[in-house]
Amino acid sequence: MTQRLALITGGEGGIGTEICRQLGAAGRKIITTCLDPEAENIEQWASNLRAEGIDADWVQCDVSDNEACVKMAEEVRSRFGEVDVLVNVAGITRDAFLHKMDASQWYSVININLNGAYNVTSQFIAGMRERGFGRVVNISSVNGQTGQFGQTNYSAAKAGLHGFTMALAKEGAPKGVTANTVSPGYIKTSMTAAIPEQVREAIVAQIPAGDMGTPEDIARAVAFLTADEAGYINGANLPVNGALFCSF
Ligand code: NAD
């Protein structure tokens, strides 16, 4: 069987890198989108993964820019082939209470975290349907499930992502294409390192597991959902949160 191609947006970030590592270890060819090759030192990132035996490459793309995503998809097809596995990881936070949030904070979070998933997924979904195989995973958040102070923008985007997942699952199921959500709790990356220490300590005190999770915890869930054998798991949300929030 030919090697399946996995595209991971934001694959160079804390959670994304581990997703690339685990999908690569599962035999996928890995492509990440990268916003700023120099700032992200993306060549070094790719060569580090290659040194671990991961078949990794990158393309430049701002996922919030639909035109850029059209061009990125053309580049991916011409350089690497068809995308079989897509993981929408790219995301940002711009926290503020709504009464203090300016429009740019709202729109940047919606445009990257939610519209970005549309911009990228819509480039590849027709091909997955035609070939009768596809795996899409959207990285949401526990704060999309519960709402969080200071995150009306982020909670809306992340809740919206799971609506996108569920509708896409129904559309894709007859064609062998699955769409699932992974909702991390608090994970040790630069995103949570930016939380003020006192607030971080208060958050950890709420987590029954007693600590934040790791990128490996999230990548394990993504590897599970993107396996060739996972075809009947479709439209699900898989929370990975140390029992911080349990629901049925
Ligand atoms: P991170 O900041 O390390 O990674 C985010 C990635 O997104 C980076 O590679 C960045 O370059 C990329 N990105 C940002 N804007 C982009 C754009 N316009 N176009 C393309 N790429 C862009 O953060 P992380 O903690 O690894 O988070 C990864 C995902 O997991 C995010 O969607 C985040 O919301 C979600 N998440 C994280 C946590 C956590 O505790 N860290 C919890 C829940 C959900």
Side-chain angles (χ1 to χ4, degrees):
M1 195 176 63
T2 53
Q3 188 184 32
R4 293 206 191 278
L5 187 65
L7 179 71
I8 294 97
T9 72
E12 148 305 323
I15 289 175
T17 296
E18 196 50 38
I19 292 173
C20 291
R21 194 173 269 132
Q22 290 199 26
L23 297 198
R28 284 24 177 135
K29 157 89 188 163
I30 300 299
I31 316 288
T32 182
T33 65
C34 151
L35 194 54
D36 180 341
E38 253 179 58
E40 294 172 42
N41 205 0
I42 197 72
E43 268 303 341
Q44 187 60 49
W45 175 93
S47 77
N48 289 348
L49 283 188
R50 285 184 208 122
E52 297 174 23
I54 308 291
D55 185 358
D57 255 295
W58 61 274
V59 287
Q60 186 171 10
C61 179
D62 177 347
V63 300
S64 67
D65 178 343
N66 188 265
E67 291 245 316
C69 291
V70 172
K71 290 199 184 106
M72 175 273 289
E74 283 165 6
E75 183 185 348
V76 167
R77 279 195 195 95
S78 71
R79 286 178 60 199
F80 308 109
E82 300 295 337
V83 169
D84 306 298
V85 176
L86 169 63
V87 190
N88 288 306
V89 184
I92 60 164
T93 52
R94 294 287 181 272
D95 295 356
F97 275 45
L98 187 63
H99 62 278
K100 293 186 176 167
M101 186 180 288
D102 61 39
S104 75
Q105 289 171 301
W106 174 268
Y107 286 113
S108 59
V109 168
I110 300 294
N111 284 338
I112 293 171
N113 297 30
L114 180 58
N115 294 340
Y118 159 75
N119 289 336
V120 176
T121 310
S122 59
Q123 308 306 322
F124 301 107
I125 202 75
M128 291 179 183
R129 292 169 64 89
E130 275 159 27
R131 293 188 306 281
F133 179 90
R135 298 281 179 268
V136 178
V137 173
N138 297 312
I139 304 298
S140 178
S141 167
V142 67
N143 291 342
Q145 296 178 279
T146 63
Q148 182 58 278
F149 297 95
Q151 291 197 324
T152 52
N153 49 1
Y154 187 80
S155 297
K158 292 302 194 182
L161 262 185
H162 190 54
F164 176 65
T165 291
M166 292 189 291
L168 193 61
K170 292 197 190 280
E171 292 180 4
K175 299 288 187 187
V177 179
T178 69
N180 291 287
T181 298
V182 170
S183 292
Y186 289 90
I187 307 299
K188 290 173 192 165
T189 69
S190 57
M191 191 176 269
T192 47
I195 300 172
E197 194 171 337
Q198 263 188 326
V199 179
R200 209 166 53 239
E201 280 169 13
I203 289 169
V204 170
Q206 306 279 315
I207 303 172
D211 200 359
M212 290 194 183
T214 63
E216 287 82 351
D217 294 321
I218 305 308
R220 200 165 292 121
V222 175
F224 171 71
L225 292 169
T226 56
D228 283 17
E229 299 76 15
Y232 205 64
I233 308 173
N234 209 349
N237 175 48
L238 179 46
V240 183
N241 63 32
L244 174 63
F245 175 67
C246 304
S247 65
F248 187 50

